[in-house]
Amino acid sequence: MDPKPAKKKTKAVLIWLAIAAILIIATVAMFNAFAGWTVPDSARTMQNPYPAAADTLKDGSEIYAKRCKECHGVNGDGTGEKADQLSAMPSDFTDTHEMSRATDGELFWKITHGRRPMPAFKDKLTDKQRWELVDYIRTFAKKAAEQNGSAP
C-alpha cells in the first residue's frame, strides 16, 4: 500500500482544521467587537445638565467635526472615512430605534470611557464638551426621524 495518498489526506485535514480554527477565532473576535457596552446603572440615570440650545449644539458640532466625524461620518451614520479600517463599525447615530433606547447618561459614559477602537475622551474633553457632544449626536436621529416622517 502506497503511503502517499494517506499523507495527502492527513495534510488536507490539517489544512481544513487550521482554516476552521481561524474562522472560529475571527467569529469570536467579531462577536466581542459588536457585543454591547456594559454601562453602569449609575451612568444610565445621569441627566444632561446642558440643554440642547443653539450655542450648545454649535459647540457640540465643532467638537464632533474635530473628534468624531472621521469615524462616525458627516451624517452620523457610522460611515466615516476611517470606519472601514476599524475592528468594529462605529455607532450609527441616525438609527432612531437605538438612539431612543440610549439615555444621555449612557452616551456620556461611552464618550467618557470609550471602548476599542473608540478612544476615551475623559482626559481629552471637559465634562461640558462631552455633554455638548451628547446633545449634538442626538440631532442625527432627530433629522433621520423627520426625513422618515416618524417621531424621534
Side-chain angles (χ1 to χ4, degrees), residues 33-50:
F34 291 108
W37 289 11
T38 303
V39 177
D41 289 336
S42 58
R44 283 188 176 87
T45 58
M46 290 175 65
Q47 299 295 310
N48 188 338
Y50 300 96

Side-chain angles (χ1 to χ4, degrees), residues 33-34 69-72 78-90 116-118:
F34 291 108
K69 180 179 76 171
E70 63 186 11
C71 295
H72 290 279
T79 60
E81 61 188 51
K82 288 190 173 182
D84 62 350
Q85 301 167 23
L86 303 173
S87 59
M89 290 302 297
R116 218 173 185 168
M118 184 176 137

Side-chain angles (χ1 to χ4, degrees), residues 55-75:
D55 60 334
T56 303
L57 294 175
K58 178 183 173 289
D59 292 344
S61 170
E62 291 170 1
I63 297 164
Y64 183 89
K66 289 178 188 173
R67 302 284 189 152
C68 313
K69 180 179 76 171
E70 63 186 11
C71 295
H72 290 279
V74 173
N75 300 315

Side-chain angles (χ1 to χ4, degrees), residues 88-152:
M89 290 302 297
S91 296
D92 177 357
F93 303 133
T94 66
D95 184 332
T96 56
H97 178 71
E98 287 300 316
M99 291 302 291
S100 69
R101 291 177 42 188
T103 68
D104 283 357
E106 285 178 272
L107 297 174
F108 179 83
W109 191 90
K110 290 176 180 183
I111 293 167
T112 300
H113 297 282
R115 186 188 76 169
R116 218 173 185 168
M118 184 176 137
F121 287 97
K122 182 177 183 174
D123 297 328
K124 298 174 185 171
L125 299 172
T126 65
D127 283 0
K128 182 177 189 253
Q129 290 173 316
R130 285 178 276 146
W131 283 118
E132 290 169 336
L133 262 178
V134 170
D135 285 332
Y136 182 71
I137 285 168
R138 293 244 181 244
T139 66
F140 293 116
K142 288 178 185 171
K143 288 177 192 170
E146 290 167 3
Q147 289 174 349
N148 294 331
S150 60

